[in-house]
Amino acid sequence: MQVVLGTLLASLVPVVGFNAVMTSEHFASFLVFIVIHVVALAYYIKGILSPKMFKVAVTLVLAVGLVVCSAVIAVLIAMVASSPTKGWSGRSLSLLDPTYASKYIPIIASVSEHQPPTWPSYFMDINVLAFLVPAGIIACFLPLSDASSFMVLYIVTSVYFSGVMVRLMLVLAPAACIMSGIALSEAFDVFTRSIKCQLPGVSQNSQIDVGDSTSGSVVTQDEVVKTDKTEDSLKERPSKKNKKKERERERENVEKASIKTPIQKRLLVLPLESSVIALLLLVLLGAFYVVHCVWAAAEAYSAPSIVLTSRSHDGLHVFDDFREAYAWLSHNTEVDDKVASWWDYGYQTTAMANRTVIVDNNTWNNTHIATVGTAMSSPEKAAWEIFQSLDVKYVLVVFGGVVGYPSDDINKFLWMVRIGGGVFPHIKEPDYLRDGQYRIDSQATPTMLNCLMYKLSYYRFVETDGKGFDRVRGTEIGKKHFKLTHFEEVFTTHHWMVRIFKLKPPKNRIRGKTKKSKSKASSTTSSKRSGKSPWQ
Amino acid sequence: MREIRLDLLLLSLALLFAPAFSDLLLSKVDRRIDLTSHVVRITSTLKVENAGTDPVSEVLLAFPDTQAKNIAYLTASTIEGKGKTKSSSVSLPIQVVHPDGMPPSLTWHSVSLLKGLSKGESLTLDVLAVFTHTLRPFPEKITQAEIQRVAFQESAYYLSPYVVKVQSLTVKHSGQFESYTKLENSRASGSEIKYGPYENLPSFSFSPIVIHLVNNQPFAVAQELVREIEISHWGNVQVTEHYNLIHGGAHITGEFSRLDYQARPHVRGASAFRNLVAKLPPRAHSIYYRDEIGNISTSNLWGDSTKKLLEIEPRYPMFGGWRTSFTIGYGLPLQDFLFQSRGIRFLNITFGCPINEVVIENLIVKVVLPEGSRDISVSVPFAVKQWEETKISHLDMVGRPVVVLEKTNVVPEHNQHFQVNYKFNNLSLLREPLMLISGFFLLFVACVIYVHSDLTISKSSTAYLAKLQWDEVQATVQQVLNIINRCLTIHGKLEASLRDLSRTGDVQACKSARKSADSSLKELSKELRPVLILLQSSSQAVQILPKVEELVAKERELQEKLMLKHSTVVDCYEKKSGGREVENRVASIQQKITALRQEVDDLLEIIDEI
C-alpha cells in the first residue's frame, strides 16, 4: 500500500513525474512488491479452495501465468534494451559506474562533492572509525547471524558508494558508526572479562573455589578408593554399588565440566596488566575521537563556507567578501535586476542579495547552465549578446587570485567550458587547453585569454602588484593590460573575491549617448559658467 | 540652480516693496554659518532695540519658504543678566505664526520674550537654526575620483522685517572652496568667507549669495530609523536601532574600482565614508551590530567610564547614492534610566540616534513598557507625532503598551532627553514566572490524574473485565513470587547454619535454626495455598499457571532436598562422623539442590518476564 501511495505522491512532483515507474532503478522494489502480493494471493486462494481444486487452480494459473509473465518480461526487456542507458538515469548510473559522469554528464562531475574521495578525507570525516570498521567486520563474522551478515552487506555497499563520490560519505557514516560500535563492544567485552576473572576479590573466591574443588576431588577420590576397597572386601549389595558407581561417574562428569568451563574461559583471558592498559587506551581513543568530532563539527561542518577566516600572527582575519557583495547587490541595484553568475552562487544570490538569478544550485535545467557557461567562455562581444538576450544586468564572478582563495571561478572554468560545450558545440574544450594543460599564464591559448571569465576576473588585476601574479595558480597572468568594452566594473569587494560587472547598454544607444553626453557636458559647463557669472 | 536663482530674484523683488513691520530695530546682527558638515547651522546674535513707544513682547524671525521647509531645529535664547555676570541663557518659546500683510513665500516664527521690551530697552537674542538638505551637491553626479562639491545659497543681508543697523555674516567651511558670490565688503580668508559689515539696511533687504565649496564630510542620511526601547523591570533596558542609511551626497557615476579605492582611499574615494561612530552610554552591554544576512564583523568598541564608542563600518564603503541597512542593539542597566517618584516611574533617555552627524529623515521611537503599565504620559522637549500601540511578546496576555513617537528631520541637536511616565505595580513582575510555574504544575497534575484515573467508558465490556482479571492474576503471581523468594531466603539461612556448623560444630544452634526455618516454611506454605487456589480459579491465569505450579513444585522439592541435606549433615555431626563421610553423603544431594536451584531461578525469570 505504501509503495503505491508513495509512488503516486512522488509522481505528483513535476521533476519526478513518471520517472518513478519508468526508470530501471525502481524495478527491484516493484518486483519485490509484486512477488509479495502474488504469494499473499496464493495463500488466500489456498484458504478458500479445497486442496483438490487448489491443485487444479495452480496448474491453470501456472500455465497461463507463465505465458503472460514471459510476454511481459519480453516486452520489458525490449523496452529496457531499447534505451541507451538500459533505462537507468544518469545520476544512478554515475553511482554504479564511477567513470560514467565524467564521460557523459559534466554537470554532475563538476560538483566537487561528486568527486571520488581521497584517503585524507576518510580520515577527516570518520577518523578512528576507519580503523575500527575492519575490526567490526571481523567481529561480525565470529558468529555469523542474520543480523551481522546484514551489517556486513551494509558496510560493504556503503563503503563502495562512498568511494564513488565524497558526498556519499553520509551513507558510510552510520554504517561505520555501527561497525565500530560492534568492534569496540567486543573489545571491551574481552578486556573487562579478563579483568573480572583476575580482580583480587573475585580471583580469591575463584581460587578458593578451585582449591575446594581440588581438595574435594582429592577427598572424593580417596573416598572412592576407600569405598571401592570396602565394596571389594564386602562385596555386598551390587545394586547399591552400581548406583554408587553411577553416582561417581556423574560426580566426575560434573566436576570435569566444572573444571573445563573455567579452563575454556581461561583461554580468552589476557594478562591483567595488558588488558587494563588496553582498556585505558580504548577509552583514550574514544576521548580523542570525541575531541576530533567536536573540532570537525565546529571547524569543518558548521563553519560557514561563506565567511572565510585565516589565522595570522596578528590574530584572526575575516574574509567576509561574499556577504559584502550580496549586501551591495541587495541595496544598490534595482529590485528586478537580474544577476548572472556560475550556478554555485545562485541560491546565495537569491537569498542574500534578493535578486533574480539566471541559474542556481537546482541544476535540473542543464541548457540554462550551459548557456551561462557558454557566455562565460565566449569572447566579450558574444557573451554580452547572450547576457543581453537573457535580460541580465549584472555579472558576478568570484576571483581568488588576490588572496589565494582556490575555489574561484577560474578554477571552475573548465567545467563551464565542458557544460557549455555539451549543449553548444562551438565551445570546444581543447581551445582552452595548451597541450592538454589548463593554464592562464603567457602560454595560455588566445581563446582562453579572450574569454569573458578571464577578462572579468583579471580586469585591472595587473595594477595591484605591477606583475599580475595570481596567488592561486602561482603564475603571472598571460594577458595583463586590457580594457572592457561591453562591461563596466561596478563593485569589487575588499579582498577582490567577488567582482560585479554591469552590462553596458546596447551599442546603437551608446553612439547616441556619447553624443548626448558630449552635449550634456557642454551644456553643464555652459550652465555652470552662465550660472556662475552673475554671482561673481 | 538656475531655477533657484530665479526664485531668489523674485523673492528679493517682492521683498523690496514690503513695509517696515514694527517699531523694533536690530541694532546689531552677527551671523555665523557653519558649513563644515552636511548639516547647516546658522547662529545669529541679534541685538534687539525698541525704538517705538509701546512695549513689545515678541520678535519675529523670517525665513524664505525654500529654507523653511528644511529647518530641523530652531531655538532662541537670551542672556540673562548684564555685564560680566551674563551667564545663564534662557531659551524662549518659539511658534509659527502667520502675520497679515506680509510678503508671500516667507515663513514666520515668533519668539515670545519673557517680559515685554519697553521703550528704549535692548536685548540680545541668540538664534540657532539648523537646516538639513540645504547643501546641494553640485555637480550632482561625480565619478569615484572626484571630490564632492556642494553649493549653498543664502542672503548676504539678514532677512528681517526690522531695520538692521549694523550686520555681518561669517561663513565657516572646511577650507577649500570653488567660488563665492562677490559683493562689496566680501572677502575670503582661510576657512572663512566674510560679508559685511553692512550698515543701515531697510527691512526685508535681500541679496542672494551662492557659495560653491568642497565638502567631503560623510553625508550620512538615515531615511528611516526605528529605535525600540524595551523596558524590563528585571533590570534591563534593551535598545534596538534599525537604520536605513544612504549617502546623501553627490551620486557616484561610472565605474567603482576597488583598486583605485584601495591605492589612494583619500583621493579616489574622498567623498565616500568608511565608518560611523556611535556614542553609547558608558554602561551599555551586549552590543551587537548586524544586518539581515548576519553579523557584520567590521566593528570596534572602546570606551572609558564616561562613554562607550562603537565604531561601525558598513559592509562596503559608502559612496554617493549607495544605501545600506543595519541594526545595532545594546542593553543598558535599568537603574541608570528609570527613576521613581511618588509611585510614578519615569524613563529618562535620549531621543535621537547615538551616531554623530547623521541626519534622520524619519525617526520613530518606540518605547515598549512592561505589560500592566498604566497612566502613560510622555514629555518631549519638541513637537512630535505620538500614538500608542501594543506589542505581544513572550508570555504576554494582553500585550505590552508601546508609546510611539515619530519625528521627521532629526539632527544631532535633537539628542535630548525625553521622559515617559507610567505606573507599574511591582507585583506584576511576578506574573510571568508564576504563570510558568503554574503551567508546569498543571501539566504535572494532569499527568498524575491521567495515570491514576480509569478512563474506561464501559465498565462491563469483556476487554475491561479481562484487563481487571489480568491485573488480579498479576498481583497473585507477584504474591506467589514473594512467597517463593521468602522461602529461598530461608533456604539461604539453613545453608548458613550448616556452614556455621562446619565451622563451630555447634549442633544445637543448627537444630534451632532448623526448627525456626521449619515453622516459617510451614507458615509460608499455608500462605501459598489460598493464593494458588485463587490463581487456579482465574481464567486469565491459564497461560501462566503451569509455570507457577511447576515453580511451586520445584521449590517444594528443593525444600525437601535441603531438609534432607540438613538433617544428614546434622546427623553426621551428631554421630561425630568424619568430614569425608559427610561430604560423601551430602554430595549427591548437593548436586540435586544446585540443579533444582538453577531450575527455580530460571522459572522465576520466566514468570517475571510474563
Side-chain angles (χ1 to χ4, degrees):
Chain A
M1 197 58 224
Q2 278 185 343
V3 174
V4 176
L5 200 67
T7 311
L8 278 178
L9 284 179
S11 59
L12 287 183
V13 178
V15 189
V16 179
F18 279 102
N19 277 343
V21 279
M22 297 297 281
T23 51
S24 293
E25 55 258 43
H26 300 94
F27 185 68
S29 66
F30 283 115
L31 190 72
V32 172
F33 176 71
I34 290 166
V35 165
I36 286 174
H37 277 81
V38 166
V39 170
L41 188 73
Y43 272 102
Y44 177 69
I45 291 171
K46 198 178 183 180
I48 293 174
L49 301 177
S50 64
K52 255 189 186 175
M53 286 288 283
F54 182 69
K55 267 188 183 170
V56 177
V58 164
T59 46
L60 195 78
V61 168
L62 272 185
V64 176
L66 272 180
V67 173
V68 173
C69 276
S70 50
V72 168
I73 287 171
V75 169
L76 269 180
I77 285 172
M79 276 174 68
V80 166
S82 68
S83 89
T85 58
K86 308 284 179 281
W88 292 82
S89 72
R91 271 161 212 249
S92 51
L93 267 183
S94 65
L95 257 190
L96 298 175
D97 175 11
T99 58
Y100 179 83
S102 49
K103 270 187 251 160
Y104 300 107
I105 325 172
I107 196 158
I108 291 179
S110 75
V111 183
S112 64
E113 321 181 293
H114 292 169
Q115 308 302 324
T118 52
W119 278 111
S121 83
Y122 273 108
F123 294 129
M124 164 72 202
D125 284 334
I126 60 174
N127 201 250
V128 298
L129 302 191
F131 303 103
L132 289 174
V133 163
I137 295 174
I138 294 169
C140 273
F141 272 108
L142 279 178
L144 189 66
S145 65
D146 286 353
S148 61
S149 56
F150 170 75
M151 275 318 302
V152 171
L153 279 180
Y154 183 23
I155 190 76
V156 166
T157 46
S158 58
V159 164
Y160 172 74
F161 285 133
S162 74
V164 173
M165 46 175 85
V166 182
R167 70 169 5 170
L168 293 179
M169 202 66 88
L170 282 177
V171 178
L172 175 64
C177 284
I178 296 169
M179 291 316 274
S180 34
I182 291 170
L184 276 182
S185 137
E186 287 292 321
F188 273 112
D189 201 25
V190 169
F191 292 135
T192 48
R193 198 184 325 114
S194 51
I195 288 175
K196 218 186 205 169
C197 291
Q198 297 171 58
L199 266 186
V202 183
S203 60
Q204 264 182 14
N205 283 346
S206 63
Q207 274 172 8
I208 288 167
D209 285 348
V210 170
D212 276 358
S213 63
T214 48
S215 65
S217 66
V218 169
V219 168
T220 46
Q221 271 171 9
D222 284 358
E223 266 180 53
V224 168
V225 174
K226 258 189 189 175
T227 46
D228 281 356
K229 273 181 184 172
T230 49
E231 275 162 14
D232 287 340
S233 60
L234 292 175
K235 287 187 180 176
E236 276 177 3
R237 295 172 200 169
S239 60
K240 241 192 179 177
K241 189 184 159 192
N242 283 349
K243 267 186 190 170
K244 270 194 178 173
K245 271 193 178 172
E246 275 171 20
R247 266 190 214 164
E248 258 171 48
R249 269 178 217 144
E250 271 178 26
R251 204 192 304 147
E252 273 177 4
N253 285 344
V254 169
E255 266 161 16
K256 269 179 192 166
S258 63
I259 292 163
K260 256 185 195 168
T261 40
I263 284 169
Q264 253 185 354
K265 279 187 179 172
R266 289 262 156 144
L267 282 180
L268 284 174
V269 165
L270 296 168
L272 181 68
E273 297 77 27
S274 59
S275 55
V276 166
I277 289 168
L279 263 189
L280 281 179
L281 285 179
L282 273 186
V283 170
L284 208 65
L285 184 75
F288 274 121
Y289 181 56
V290 168
V291 171
H292 169 83
C293 285
V294 169
W295 174 83
E299 294 290 323
Y301 302 149
S302 28
S305 58
I306 204 165
V307 182
L308 308 165
T309 53
S310 77
R311 280 172 215 283
S312 60
H313 57 280
D314 56 344
L316 194 71
H317 195 77
V318 177
F319 297 88
D320 205 355
D321 285 35
F322 283 103
R323 288 196 300 174
E324 181 182 347
Y326 295 137
W328 186 87
L329 271 178
S330 89
H331 287 114
N332 297 307
T333 56
E334 296 297 319
V335 185
D336 49 0
D337 283 349
K338 291 169 193 64
V339 181
S341 65
W342 191 232
W343 60 265
D344 298 24
Y345 317 107
Y347 280 163
Q348 291 179 358
T349 312
T350 314
M352 292 199 169
N354 193 19
R355 291 293 172 270
T356 311
V357 292
I358 301 301
V359 285
D360 65 19
N361 305 45
N362 177 8
T363 52
W364 68 285
N365 192 334
N366 194 19
T367 317
H368 249 130
I369 296 174
T371 313
V372 173
T374 307
M376 292 295 190
S377 28
S378 304
E380 209 186 329
K381 177 95 168 59
W384 182 86
E385 275 162 8
I386 293 172
F387 282 140
Q388 193 70 25
S389 70
L390 291 171
D391 193 23
V392 166
K393 264 268 184 63
Y394 295 94
V395 181
L396 181 148
V397 294
V398 172
F399 172 61
V402 174
V403 287
Y405 171 61
S407 49
D408 64 349
D409 276 346
I410 289 288
N411 273 4
K412 292 173 184 172
F413 181 61
L414 265 195
W415 292 109
M416 303 184 198
V417 174
R418 281 176 202 157
I419 294 170
V423 177
F424 302 99
H426 67 275
I427 302 289
K428 294 181 196 69
E429 189 179 338
D431 294 348
Y432 298 85
L433 302 175
R434 172 76 68 193
D435 304 328
Q437 269 193 317
Y438 177 59
R439 53 201 314 169
I440 42 94
D441 54 8
S442 48
Q443 296 295 307
T445 58
T447 325
M448 177 69 215
L449 295 182
N450 281 316
C451 73
L452 184 71
M453 181 49 76
Y454 180 90
K455 282 195 164 179
L456 295 190
S457 288
Y458 292 115
Y459 177 60
R460 298 190 69 183
F461 175 61
V462 67
E463 292 169 55
T464 53
D465 58 353
K467 292 181 298 188
F469 184 78
D470 188 322
R471 292 178 64 178
V472 176
R473 266 62 61 176
T475 52
E476 282 183 27
I477 58 172
K479 193 171 168 183
K480 294 177 180 174
H481 300 277
F482 54 88
K483 279 187 176 158
L484 294 174
T485 45
H486 298 282
F487 294 86
E488 62 176 353
E489 182 186 14
V490 286
F491 191 72
T492 298
T493 58
H494 188 246
H495 301 102
W496 287 55
M497 272 163 58
V498 184
R499 311 193 72 181
I500 301 170
F501 293 83
K502 190 179 185 179
L503 268 76
K504 283 186 180 165
K507 198 146 202 178
N508 57 348
R509 279 173 57 197
I510 285 174
R511 239 177 260 133
K513 207 180 177 189
T514 44
K515 274 181 196 166
K516 240 189 204 171
S517 59
K518 263 182 199 166
S519 64
K520 221 186 203 176
S522 61
S523 72
T524 46
T525 48
S526 65
S527 73
K528 209 172 171 183
R529 259 175 230 142
S530 64
K532 266 178 192 172
S533 50
W535 307 332
Q536 280 171 350
Chain B
M1 285 306 285
R2 199 179 277 167
E3 279 174 26
I4 296 160
R5 205 168 46 81
L6 274 176
D7 276 356
L8 292 176
L9 279 177
L10 285 175
L11 183 68
S12 54
L13 283 176
L15 291 177
L16 282 177
F17 302 104
F21 181 65
S22 79
D23 303 329
L24 284 179
L25 68 87
L26 304 177
S27 56
K28 192 179 180 202
V29 173
D30 201 0
R31 283 193 297 153
R32 288 174 305 283
I33 300 179
D34 183 358
L35 299 181
T36 49
S37 73
H38 71 303
V39 177
V40 176
R41 293 184 174 83
I42 303 181
T43 321
S44 321
T45 311
L46 315 175
K47 200 163 185 186
V48 187
E49 214 176 297
N50 190 353
T53 50
D54 301 328
V56 180
S57 64
E58 60 174 27
V59 178
L60 288 176
L61 306 174
F63 295 98
D65 275 351
T66 47
Q67 267 189 6
K69 70 171 192 280
N70 289 326
I71 292 184
Y73 186 74
L74 180 65
T75 53
S77 61
T78 179
I79 292 157
E80 290 275 292
K82 289 194 173 165
K84 288 180 181 174
T85 59
K86 56 176 175 184
S87 53
S88 60
S89 61
V90 179
S91 66
L92 302 171
I94 298 180
Q95 64 198 47
V96 179
V97 290
H98 303 281
D100 299 327
M102 285 296 151
S105 63
L106 283 182
T107 307
W108 296 89
H109 292 262
S110 154
V111 181
S112 312
L113 302 180
L114 292 178
K115 51 187 180 192
L117 204 62
S118 51
K119 180 183 180 217
E121 275 186 324
S122 70
L123 169 108
T124 311
L125 268 183
D126 278 327
V127 179
L128 169 67
V130 181
F131 299 88
T132 59
H133 302 293
T134 39
L135 287 180
R136 280 159 190 281
F138 185 80
E140 286 182 341
K141 284 190 176 177
I142 55 172
T143 61
Q144 183 189 352
E146 281 179 287
I147 50 172
Q148 177 174 269
R149 296 176 185 85
V150 291
F152 173 71
Q153 52 201 10
E154 242 293 305
S155 163
Y157 308 141
Y158 181 61
L159 179 64
S160 166
Y162 312 115
V163 174
V164 182
K165 276 189 173 166
V166 183
Q167 62 168 302
S168 66
L169 170 66
T170 312
V171 179
K172 198 175 158 220
H173 58 83
S174 56
Q176 285 174 285
F177 65 91
E178 292 283 313
S179 66
Y180 64 98
T181 311
K182 293 196 174 74
L183 301 174
E184 53 167 333
N185 264 343
S186 67
R187 65 205 167 276
S189 64
S191 62
E192 280 185 346
I193 298 170
K194 283 190 174 169
Y195 288 90
Y198 304 108
E199 291 182 6
N200 284 329
L201 289 172
S203 55
F204 296 112
S205 302
F206 194 87
S207 163
I209 54 169
V210 170
I211 300 169
H212 192 203
L213 66 148
V214 173
N215 189 333
N216 278 325
Q217 288 302 307
F219 272 47
V221 179
Q223 290 181 313
E224 186 173 72
L225 167 61
V226 179
R227 293 186 85 207
E228 193 175 277
I229 302 162
E230 186 159 355
I231 299 168
S232 160
H233 278 270
W234 293 101
N236 191 35
V237 177
Q238 182 66 37
V239 184
T240 315
E241 298 172 350
H242 305 280
Y243 289 87
N244 216 336
L245 207 69
I246 183 172
H247 186 296
H251 285 215
I252 184 172
T253 178
E255 292 198 340
F256 162 68
S257 169
R258 177 67 69 166
L259 181 79
D260 295 339
Y261 180 69
Q262 274 173 339
R264 293 176 292 271
H266 296 293
V267 183
R268 306 294 183 101
S271 63
F273 62 89
R274 211 186 255 266
N275 56 6
L276 297 164
V277 177
K279 194 176 166 192
L280 304 180
R283 291 173 68 188
H285 60 85
S286 328
I287 299 164
Y288 64 82
Y289 169 48
R290 61 173 177 80
D291 65 3
E292 63 262 42
I293 53 175
N295 176 53
I296 306 172
S297 48
T298 45
S299 61
N300 209 344
L301 182 74
W302 67 90
D304 51 26
S305 59
T306 56
K307 64 183 182 301
K308 216 164 229 176
L309 294 178
L310 171 68
E311 183 195 352
I312 57 176
E313 202 172 303
R315 289 193 185 273
Y316 38 86
M318 294 290 287
F319 277 87
W322 285 10
R323 294 157 196 277
T324 188
S325 65
F326 56 86
T327 302
I328 59 179
Y330 46 94
L332 301 169
L334 186 72
Q335 63 268 27
D336 293 6
F337 296 91
L338 193 80
F339 307 96
Q340 196 171 8
S341 70
R342 278 172 282 122
I344 297 174
R345 292 159 201 268
F346 65 96
L347 174 79
N348 189 27
I349 202 164
T350 51
F351 184 79
C353 91
I355 300 182
N356 295 330
E357 295 299 329
V358 169
V359 169
I360 304 154
E361 287 182 355
N362 193 17
L363 171 66
I364 295 173
V365 180
K366 293 180 174 177
V367 183
V368 183
L369 300 173
E371 194 178 20
S373 311
R374 55 192 196 286
D375 302 337
I376 301 161
S377 63
V378 185
S379 66
V380 189
F382 31 80
V384 290
K385 220 156 86 180
Q386 175 188 338
W387 67 92
E388 280 189 24
E389 290 174 353
T390 52
K391 178 190 173 186
I392 306 273
S393 183
H394 305 293
L395 297 174
D396 280 351
M397 304 282 273
V398 291
R400 307 181 180 191
V402 182
V403 178
V404 187
L405 309 170
E406 187 177 354
K407 177 152 179 57
T408 52
N409 246 350
V410 179
V411 289
E413 271 76 11
H414 287 110
N415 239 337
Q416 301 174 11
H417 284 81
F418 72 104
Q419 289 81 34
V420 179
N421 307 299
Y422 63 99
K423 282 183 180 168
F424 180 74
N425 192 344
N426 264 335
L427 281 180
S428 308
L429 261 186
L430 295 175
R431 206 181 48 80
E432 286 178 3
L434 283 181
M435 214 161 79
L436 278 182
I437 291 168
S438 54
F440 276 106
F441 177 73
L442 286 178
L443 176 73
F444 293 137
V445 165
C447 290
V448 168
I449 290 172
Y450 175 75
V451 168
H452 283 266
S453 66
D454 188 358
L455 295 178
T456 318
I457 296 167
S458 153
K459 301 280 185 205
S460 58
S461 75
T462 49
Y464 178 67
L465 290 177
K467 188 175 167 273
L468 279 188
Q469 276 179 350
W470 178 241
D471 285 348
E472 211 175 309
V473 167
Q474 272 184 328
T476 39
V477 167
Q478 202 56 52
Q479 270 179 322
V480 173
L481 291 184
N482 270 341
I483 290 165
I484 300 287
N485 276 330
R486 274 153 73 193
C487 287
L488 289 180
T489 50
I490 290 165
H491 295 172
K493 271 181 196 164
L494 274 177
E495 295 273 10
S497 76
L498 278 184
R499 245 174 276 141
D500 280 353
L501 180 66
S502 70
R503 209 171 52 236
T504 59
D506 187 354
V507 181
Q508 284 308 313
C510 188
K511 275 188 173 169
S512 66
R514 167 72 183 273
K515 235 171 228 168
S516 68
D518 274 346
S519 61
S520 48
L521 278 175
K522 239 171 229 165
E523 269 174 40
L524 282 177
S525 62
K526 262 185 208 164
E527 268 181 55
L528 191 57
R529 210 165 300 137
V531 175
L532 274 180
I533 291 165
L534 190 70
L535 204 57
Q536 279 157 359
S537 67
S538 165
S539 61
Q540 288 282 320
V542 180
Q543 183 190 357
I544 205 167
L545 190 59
K547 292 279 172 200
V548 174
E549 278 174 346
E550 194 187 347
L551 175 68
V552 171
K554 291 281 178 197
E555 199 275 333
R556 195 149 291 161
E557 206 179 329
L558 176 63
Q559 204 171 315
E560 277 165 19
K561 292 288 171 199
L562 198 61
M563 289 304 170
L564 183 63
K565 178 188 171 191
H566 196 262
S567 45
T568 337
V569 173
V570 170
D571 209 31
C572 288
Y573 269 88
E574 277 188 327
K575 286 179 187 164
K576 308 267 195 265
S577 42
R580 281 186 196 163
E581 200 181 335
V582 177
E583 285 284 346
N584 195 16
R585 291 175 61 179
V586 166
S588 61
I589 308 173
Q590 186 62 43
Q591 278 174 29
K592 281 199 178 143
I593 287 176
T594 34
L596 280 172
R597 185 64 194 253
Q598 186 61 43
E599 279 177 41
V600 168
D601 284 346
D602 287 351
L603 277 173
L604 278 177
E605 260 176 40
I606 289 166
I607 291 172
D608 252 358
E609 273 166 24
I610 292 173

